[in-house]
Amino acid sequence: MKRRTFVQNSLMATLGASVTTTGAFGFAGNAKEKQQGKHNFNLKYAPHEGMFKHNAGGDIISQLEYMAEQGFTALEDNGMSGRSVNVQEAMAKTMQDLDIEMGVFVAHKIYWSEPNLASGDKGKREEFLSDIRKSVEVAKRVNAKWVTVVPGHVDLRKEPGYQTANVVESLKQAAGILEPHGITMVLEPLNYMNHPGMFLTKSAQAYEVCKAVNSPSCKILYDIYHQQITEGNLIPNIEASWDEIAYFQVGDNPGRNEPTTGEINYRNVFKYIYDKGFKGIVGMEHGNSRPDTEGELAVIEAYKKVDDFL
């Protein structure tokens, strides 16, 4: 059976079993009727694998096709570097055919409970740089322009200034590896509740580090979920660090689910970055508030709602 036929048959079977009562966003009818075809989003929202598995099936290629059918024009895959070369190549071919842009994947081993880059340890630095070199090959294979970098845990035995200098030096060397290939590492500040003890936590700190590295291959991944918890004041902080931001990620708070499920006014935030001329990717790095077919459709409707700002 051809892949397209398989996907369509699987999708029809799934949709036929969907609940027919009014859903989370107040619309009635069956799941197929709720899907009004490809939507023209204003921003490049990037789902993750598994976000639409009930509607699209478990196969990543089928999920990519489903994402494109809904109007999504990008994909995030944090674990891309762990996939086999054959799968990477198949995904790249499918994304090229569907005009889907590859977003970030994680470029290196992240240290969640012990210092690595902040310590200045030469062995840890070389391990990091080796991972960056490997990530270049993956990025070239899947046509990725951005890779995620998390500097890791703080070193409680060193003053903050020394830690910053150590991190900056490691990132300068990594930038030297990435620059010839036109790949940008995006530094992600993380919140202290989900990830206690991390070196990089705030947008101003990420801005300072990027200015010190002074490379087009070292920019900020501004995760709106993390920064809402850590510092709030979202639009002013985005404005202040704008010239170093290359990538956004999304999740509402509390819950880290799709927009409209928490306290963040995503319609206003998205309108702001759109009006500023942002042309990059907005990664949908969150869960679904409901783990079923209707919940997946609710995610799509949520993005249509917050993207309706023109």
Side-chain angles (χ1 to χ4, degrees), residues 55-192:
N55 281 289
D59 177 71
I60 183 59
I61 302 300
S62 300
Q63 292 181 34
L64 283 166
E65 291 178 333
Y66 180 81
M67 293 171 193
E69 289 167 0
Q70 304 310 309
F72 294 106
T73 56
L75 171 79
E76 277 195 349
D77 187 10
N78 285 339
M80 178 64 85
S81 61
R83 296 185 184 274
S84 70
V85 171
N86 288 343
V87 172
Q88 292 172 359
E89 291 175 343
M91 291 176 66
K93 176 63 166 59
T94 302
M95 287 188 285
Q96 184 177 27
D97 292 344
L98 297 173
D99 199 23
I100 289 178
E101 191 171 356
M102 181 63 203
V104 292
F105 63 90
V106 176
H108 65 106
K109 176 183 178 181
I110 299 176
Y111 281 75
W112 298 107
S113 59
E114 62 178 293
N116 60 321
L117 298 190
S119 71
D121 180 88
K122 291 183 179 179
K124 291 291 196 299
R125 176 176 291 163
E126 184 49 46
E127 178 189 65
F128 168 69
L129 296 175
S130 176
D131 285 347
I132 294 296
R133 294 184 190 98
K134 294 174 184 175
S135 75
V136 169
E137 299 308 311
V138 177
K140 290 164 66 176
R141 196 175 295 128
V142 299
N143 302 310
K145 300 176 184 176
W146 305 276
V147 295
T148 301
V149 166
V150 175
H153 203 271
V154 296
D155 189 336
L156 296 174
R157 292 180 173 84
K158 288 184 172 60
E159 288 286 337
Y162 297 126
Q163 294 184 66
T164 298
N166 290 335
V167 169
V168 167
E169 179 57 32
S170 292
L171 296 177
K172 282 184 176 180
Q173 293 186 34
I177 296 169
L178 297 169
E179 282 178 11
H181 305 283
I183 300 170
T184 301
M185 58 181 165
V186 284
L187 312 181
E188 183 177 11
L190 301 174
N191 79 75
Y192 58 88

Side-chain angles (χ1 to χ4, degrees), residues 225 250-264 266 286:
Y225 165 76
V250 171
D252 217 335
N253 182 62
R256 200 172 188 176
N257 290 315
E258 69 268 17
T260 73
T261 59
E263 65 186 358
I264 302 174
Y266 268 110
H286 57 74

Side-chain angles (χ1 to χ4, degrees), residues 144-147 171-187 209-221 242-247:
K145 300 176 184 176
W146 305 276
V147 295
L171 296 177
K172 282 184 176 180
Q173 293 186 34
I177 296 169
L178 297 169
E179 282 178 11
H181 305 283
I183 300 170
T184 301
M185 58 181 165
V186 284
L187 312 181
V209 168
C210 286
K211 287 299 183 185
V213 175
N214 190 29
S215 168
S217 286
C218 183
K219 296 296 178 181
I220 298 172
L221 190 172
W242 181 259
D243 62 321
E244 295 294 338
I245 296 174
Y247 201 100

Side-chain angles (χ1 to χ4, degrees), residues 274-286:
Y274 177 88
D275 288 345
K276 288 280 289 184
F278 184 70
K279 303 297 184 184
I281 290 176
V282 179
M284 298 160 60
E285 197 185 37
H286 57 74

